[in-house]
Amino acid sequence: MAAAITQAEAATISIASVSDIPAVDRILNLTAAQPLLAQYGRTRVTAAVRRHLDQLRADALAGKLAQADVDESQLVEILAKQLAAANRLHLRALFNLTGTVLHTNLGRALLPDEAVQAVTSALTAPGNLEFDLETGGRGDRDSLVEDVLCELTGAEAATVVNNNAAAVLLMLNALAQRKEVIVSRGELVEIGGAFRIPDIMQRAGAKLVEVGSTNRTHAADYANAITPRSAMLMKVHCSNYAISGFTHSVEVSTLAELARPHGLPVTVDLGSGTLVDLTQWGLPGETTVRETIRQGADLVTFSGDKLLGGPQAGLIVGRADLIARIKKNPLKRALRVGKLTLAALEPVLRLYLAPEFLAERLTTLRLLTRNQLAIRVQAERLLSVLQTALGTRYTVTAEAMFSQIGSGALPVDQLPSYGLVVRAGNGAKRHGRALDQLEKALRQLPRPVIGRIASDALWLDCRCLEERDEAVFNAQLLDLSL
Ligand SMILES: *Cc1c(COP(=O)(O)O)cnc(C)c1O
């Protein structure tokens, strides 16, 4: 599309008219256009040619069509670019340099190759999703992962739904519809705007009974709230906030003692739900699903794509009689997972059976445990490429910074990391604008680069930049248009 031409430019370029614009067929018959026809088909290429020529006609009538705009080889080149852009999928791979490893907006956990291969196979061949290979009869899709989930958590039974929000909704609807659920005021969480415990409770048809205060809840608060209408005592992980200072909350084991004489279950929404002790890799400690069950939780719900490092899923593990009730609920059918999820989940869970290899084989854990020195070496390797691509308007340095786990996992803990810090100019005005411009240009690369702007700088944390992707990262920086 021709830009408006200034007088100075008009003196040096020759203006073209409508009669200089080639016919559609002429373009379609050009040798250079043949690969486009082969790739995209005549229908799409013809439409693209028409659209572009219409634009040229409008430019010509406005007196702003240059001879160069009707150059045939240039026309084909523009068409190739337009068709390639239109053909690009909306869901694209990008570089997550935000420093948040499990970034909800960027798709959370990355899956290991074992999971990718299992998904490929599930996509391209029929499988025993609900078919019992022993009996030849109908099978249960949960049984594909139930054994391994029980082995890893010490639970009697397990079921899987679409995500953890669905797991909580289903559990509440199945066990507490038209009844009361007792929860501490300090645990009424909101996750990412749309998931709020009080709202989910209402949608599930359960009545929330809040006990205690925001910062302190005691065993007696729960005990005093138990009535014949109670369905369960529930604990919710404070995933994305921390209450510190003068605080008190009640342990799962205490709740279990309180609930047992009344025959009430204790349920725990663990959110991220780790399956192993993360402190062995120097990461912050989190109560595992197994510990929560050992402490007396009757049911535990958690996500598949947070710290677990698998596909989006909601896992419910615990007492066999309660899981059986949950599985009979019609919502279970509405919230069930597809074969791709199960295909990806099983190999990820199996990696946990060999914890000694986990930090190497489970992508999420590998990224979380990347050593700061290794990240530093990488950042320093990338520094000059980025500085060259950005030119003198920007200054790039390699600096220490902190990554976050993300996805509401361990909100207060940060991981020592390293990355590139870009500052705009030196002493020039409108720094903010130059940074915003850079942030946008990086976002518009073929494989967008996403960082974060803070303290007048663009921070590009290298923790999640896989070494095998570095070549692509570097190569596309050369095309950066600022
Ligand atoms: C993340 C989270 C959820 C929601 O899980 P999704 O898998 O995102 O649906 C629910 N409860 C808690 C405590 C969480 O941290």
Side-chain angles (χ1 to χ4, degrees):
M1 193 172 319
I5 293 164
T6 64
Q7 268 186 339
E9 281 168 335
T12 61
I13 57 176
S14 44
I15 299 294
S17 70
V18 173
S19 60
D20 296 318
I21 300 173
V24 174
D25 276 346
R26 176 161 176 88
I27 303 216
L28 292 176
N29 287 331
L30 291 173
T31 313
Q34 300 319 300
L36 298 181
L37 289 164
Q39 187 178 356
Y40 302 106
R42 183 164 284 269
T43 313
R44 291 185 75 187
V45 177
T46 308
V49 173
R50 288 226 159 86
R51 217 169 22 242
H52 190 63
L53 296 187
D54 284 349
Q55 181 60 51
L56 295 187
R57 234 164 265 129
D59 289 344
L61 294 175
K64 50 177 191 171
L65 185 70
Q67 279 294 341
D69 296 330
V70 293
D71 174 76
E72 287 175 352
S73 68
Q74 196 193 309
L75 277 176
V76 173
E77 234 172 80
I78 290 175
L79 283 169
K81 276 199 187 131
Q82 286 178 353
L83 286 160
N87 209 39
R88 202 183 273 156
L89 293 177
H90 289 306
L91 182 59
R92 280 152 66 191
L94 50 73
F95 288 103
N96 171 13
L97 304 194
T98 61
T100 300
V101 178
L102 296 168
H103 198 301
T104 296
N105 304 142
L106 304 183
R108 291 193 185 160
L110 302 179
L111 299 200
D113 288 342
E114 289 87 340
V116 175
Q117 273 155 30
V119 169
T120 304
S121 150
L123 274 168
T124 50
N128 58 328
L129 179 63
E130 286 190 347
F131 182 75
D132 187 330
L133 291 172
E134 292 295 320
T135 65
R138 192 189 162 90
D140 172 1
R141 62 181 70 200
D142 281 339
S143 67
L144 300 170
V145 290
E146 191 168 21
D147 287 356
V148 65
L149 271 171
C150 291
E151 184 171 345
L152 294 170
T153 62
E156 293 170 4
T159 183
V160 187
V161 287
N162 190 44
N163 53 36
N164 189 33
V168 175
L169 176 75
L170 174 61
M171 176 189 76
L172 290 170
N173 184 259
L175 306 180
Q177 196 179 19
R178 288 188 286 277
K179 292 188 142 190
E180 296 177 353
V181 177
I182 305 170
V183 188
S184 162
R185 285 205 166 86
E187 297 175 3
L188 298 175
V189 306
E190 170 179 312
I191 315 278
F195 176 87
R196 289 171 152 191
I197 288 291
D199 296 346
I200 292 281
M201 194 78 75
Q202 194 190 4
R203 289 287 163 166
K207 183 168 187 297
L208 170 65
V209 176
E210 303 173 26
V211 296
S213 61
T214 306
N215 56 328
R216 288 172 72 83
T217 301
H218 304 275
D221 296 324
Y222 288 94
N224 292 337
I226 296 176
T227 74
R229 294 178 304 279
S230 305
M232 67 173 74
L233 307 190
M234 183 179 184
K235 268 187 86 66
V236 185
H237 190 277
C238 302
S239 292
N240 47 10
Y241 63 103
I243 297 182
S244 60
F246 186 55
T247 64
H248 192 265
S249 64
V250 184
E251 305 261 327
V252 172
S253 54
T254 310
L255 285 189
E257 278 167 36
L258 271 179
R260 203 171 298 126
H262 301 277
L264 294 177
V266 171
T267 65
V268 181
D269 174 17
L270 264 188
S272 213
T274 43
L275 294 175
V276 281
D277 177 8
L278 296 173
T279 59
Q280 62 188 299
W281 295 286
L283 292 170
E286 260 299 88
T287 311
T288 63
V289 179
R290 176 182 287 281
E291 276 158 9
T292 309
I293 286 183
R294 198 190 294 129
Q295 286 165 14
D298 296 291
L299 286 176
V300 179
T301 61
F302 53 104
S303 291
D305 57 352
K306 291 185 180 172
L307 276 173
L308 189 114
Q312 179 189 302
L315 301 118
I316 314 178
V317 302
R319 252 167 59 192
D321 61 324
L322 299 177
I323 295 285
R325 274 170 70 189
I326 286 171
K327 291 180 70 156
K328 280 201 206 98
N329 188 292
L331 273 182
K332 160 70 170 139
R333 172 64 178 79
L335 302 172
R336 78 178 182 192
V337 283
K339 62 182 176 182
L340 303 189
T341 303
L342 287 164
L345 185 58
E346 189 185 3
V348 168
L349 290 171
R350 274 174 197 246
L351 291 181
Y352 283 88
L353 298 173
E356 45 282 83
F357 306 129
L358 204 58
E360 194 185 315
R361 296 184 183 168
L362 185 69
T363 313
T364 297
L365 193 57
R366 181 162 53 75
L367 294 175
L368 288 174
T369 56
R370 264 190 86 191
N371 162 294
Q372 192 190 24
L373 184 58
I375 307 173
R376 176 178 183 164
V377 170
Q378 185 184 25
E380 283 166 356
R381 193 162 58 224
L382 298 169
L383 179 103
S384 65
V385 182
L386 185 62
Q387 182 65 76
T388 307
L390 298 190
T392 51
R393 272 175 75 204
Y394 299 91
T395 313
V396 189
T397 50
E399 292 181 30
M401 54 186 71
F402 284 101
S403 312
Q404 289 185 21
I405 297 178
S407 269
L410 318 138
V412 287
D413 294 297
Q414 297 192 308
L415 314 168
S417 187
Y418 226 86
L420 299 168
V421 185
V422 187
R423 295 187 176 82
N426 30 34
K429 277 192 220 149
R430 318 206 75 163
H431 280 180
R433 228 180 106 198
L435 272 186
D436 289 344
Q437 207 183 344
L438 173 60
E439 186 271 337
K440 185 171 174 203
L442 289 171
R443 192 155 32 84
Q444 288 175 344
L445 286 169
R447 182 164 170 176
V449 173
I450 314 295
R452 87 194 128 89
I453 290 184
S455 317
D456 274 332
L458 177 68
W459 300 72
L460 303 170
D461 187 324
C462 292
R463 174 177 298 275
C464 296
L465 179 52
E466 299 270 17
E467 277 178 27
R468 62 166 185 236
D469 293 332
E470 263 181 42
V472 174
F473 180 83
N474 284 339
Q476 67 168 7
L477 282 181
L478 302 175
D479 301 331
L480 197 65
S481 56
L482 279 165

